[in-house]
Amino acid sequence: MIELRSDAKYSLIIPTSMGIRLTPAEHQPFHCSDTFKMQATSAESNVGSVSSFLGLPVKILTAFVEASPVARFIKDDLARRHMDYEGPEFVQDNPWGVRHQINMADSGWGSRGPRVQNDRAGEVGRKLNVKDFDLERIFGDEGAKIVHMSGLIAALSEETSQFCLEIARAAKKHNARISFDLNHRASFWVGREDELSAAFKEIASLSDILIGNEEDFQLCLDIEGPEAGGKDITAKIDGFKEMIGRVKKEYSGATLFATTLREVETANLHRWGAIVSHGDDFVVVEPREIGVYDRIGGGDGFVGGLLYGVLNGWDAEKSTQFGWATGALAATMWTDYGQPADEDQVWSIWKGNARVQR
């Protein structure tokens, strides 16, 4: 579907700011809980997990707090996910120094939707800078088939915006394909609208794969799209196609465009779909009901499965179906990322086969 560099050491190289998520036990709200599960997480590493658990080589570019037990926890988690990693270590210096971000997120239940609050004060990932990485070695000597980045890291700070721009330029120079999930977060953009709009548009112009929902394309790239959210999302599919058509016209260097479709019935029952465009063709998965244990990371799961298909040379239809199923898989797990046992497990989800397998 997309021609990839054949001599690359890594299938995916992913710049990100790693942190931890605290989730209340037993689907309770955060504010009245006293028992929490802790996991290592980031939107971008969530994407890479699909490929890493299915045996493809993945590398994370990030930053750590030196001698921090949380940094040790994150490194051990990345190793458990079969991911390589590298990045500078920053000294905490004093109790008010750098640390890893904390994501406080409950899962919701039934009629009570999940709530998420990010505590990013002093986040070490805000200091990411290409001067701390040997880009010629990483992208030239080692190489990546695809570099995946998201708007979360691109908008995290002035430094990370420049970091992502320079990563995209270096990746392009060494024939890596670039995947960019726009991932707009309004709080990151306050007071930086012009600066971030220019940065996002340049990254998008270098990208081969562009991913976002209706709000992302409108708010990050000024592309008109359908009204965000709401019910009966199936009726808006033509509007989504028209939006993607406008994106394709504006960013003709990209060859694959994707958006997910989500209609929330309850916290535990969603209608989940996707639209992918490659060339002149559209692949549409109309929203289907899925059970949801925890919704956080479902979109990242979709992107991870879509990229896994691209890395395997699958056509757009097969890659889209796999991405839909890995997104649905992630929604059944405690973790923010999908951990497929094998491809068969994913295809069983696509086929709607939840029977026990012995």
Side-chain angles (χ1 to χ4, degrees):
M1 180 167 58
I2 295 177
E3 187 177 347
L4 302 173
R5 179 175 164 177
S6 61
D7 62 343
K9 179 178 179 180
Y10 292 101
S11 293
L12 286 168
I13 289 180
I14 300 173
T16 189
S17 175
M18 295 297 301
I20 58 169
R21 174 183 170 184
L22 298 178
T23 309
E26 305 297 335
H27 283 84
Q28 292 302 295
F30 200 98
H31 72 279
C32 56
S33 297
D34 61 6
T35 304
F36 300 86
K37 176 179 174 60
M38 185 169 85
Q39 62 169 293
T41 188
S42 77
E44 300 81 17
S45 66
N46 293 345
V47 170
S49 288
V50 173
S51 287
S52 68
F53 276 106
L54 292 175
L56 298 183
V58 176
K59 186 172 195 175
I60 300 295
L61 305 181
T62 191
F64 298 102
V65 179
E66 184 177 311
S68 162
V70 174
R72 177 75 268 170
F73 177 84
I74 291 169
K75 291 175 182 178
D76 290 347
D77 182 80
L78 291 174
R80 186 190 66 80
R81 288 197 248 171
H82 321 293
M83 292 178 171
D84 291 347
Y85 58 83
E86 72 168 274
E89 306 232 351
F90 293 92
V91 178
Q92 185 182 5
D93 191 39
N94 60 60
W96 299 271
V98 292
R99 63 173 173 82
H100 291 276
Q101 62 137 321
I102 302 171
N103 182 253
M104 296 170 280
D106 67 52
S107 303
W109 186 259
S111 58
R112 173 176 53 83
R115 287 192 170 189
V116 178
Q117 181 173 341
N118 288 317
D119 182 351
R120 312 189 81 120
E123 181 173 355
V124 68
R126 290 170 57 86
K127 298 170 73 69
L128 282 165
N129 192 303
V130 293
K131 68 179 175 56
D132 296 313
F133 297 87
D134 183 346
L135 298 189
E136 283 299 312
R137 170 180 57 80
I138 292 169
F139 294 109
D141 300 338
E142 295 177 353
K145 293 184 178 181
I146 296 175
V147 173
H148 175 73
M149 60 183 69
S150 92
L152 296 178
I153 186 70
L156 191 58
S157 68
E158 290 184 15
E159 274 192 287
T160 63
S161 298
Q162 189 62 33
F163 175 71
C164 286
L165 277 169
E166 294 186 44
I167 289 287
R169 293 165 184 160
K172 201 75 172 177
K173 172 185 172 183
H174 291 290
N175 298 317
R177 300 299 186 179
I178 299 170
S179 165
F180 188 31
D181 185 350
L182 297 169
N183 244 334
H184 180 271
R185 289 293 183 274
S187 57
F188 289 13
W189 282 63
V190 175
R192 300 179 63 204
E193 290 85 358
D194 291 344
E195 168 205 345
L196 288 178
S197 178
F200 274 55
K201 287 175 180 177
E202 180 176 346
I203 295 171
S205 73
L206 296 170
S207 296
D208 302 277
I209 301 166
L210 279 174
I211 303 149
N213 63 26
E214 64 275 31
E215 287 185 297
D216 293 334
F217 284 115
Q218 294 179 71
L219 296 173
C220 297
L221 302 180
D222 298 322
I223 303 293
E224 181 186 352
E227 181 182 355
K231 296 291 184 180
D232 195 17
I233 201 165
T234 303
K236 301 178 183 178
I237 286 176
D238 285 343
F240 279 95
K241 287 182 175 181
E242 291 168 3
M243 176 188 71
I244 291 173
R246 288 188 282 271
V247 178
K248 290 169 70 172
K249 184 176 181 181
E250 190 72 23
Y251 296 95
S252 57
T255 56
L256 191 68
F257 304 82
T259 188
T260 54
L261 307 172
R262 188 194 297 266
E263 194 171 317
V264 177
E265 301 290 343
T266 71
N268 313 109
L269 182 66
H270 293 184
R271 290 173 56 79
W272 175 241
I275 303 174
V276 171
S277 175
H278 182 250
D280 295 327
D281 299 324
F282 279 95
V283 179
V284 178
V285 179
E286 293 198 2
R288 294 162 47 182
E289 284 190 355
I290 60 169
V292 177
Y293 191 79
D294 182 282
R295 69 164 286 169
I296 307 302
D300 299 327
F302 166 79
V303 178
L306 180 72
L307 295 184
Y308 180 79
V310 173
L311 288 164
N312 280 284
W314 297 347
D315 62 24
E317 181 175 27
K318 186 175 180 181
S319 298
T320 304
Q321 292 171 352
F322 199 81
W324 180 94
T326 48
L329 171 69
T332 70
M333 294 182 162
W334 263 116
T335 51
D336 290 354
Y337 46 85
Q339 304 179 59
D342 47 43
E343 287 185 13
D344 287 344
Q345 183 181 59
V346 177
W347 288 120
S348 290
I349 293 172
W350 168 253
K351 295 171 185 174
N353 176 18
R355 293 175 63 86
V356 64
Q357 295 189 27
R358 302 184 189 277

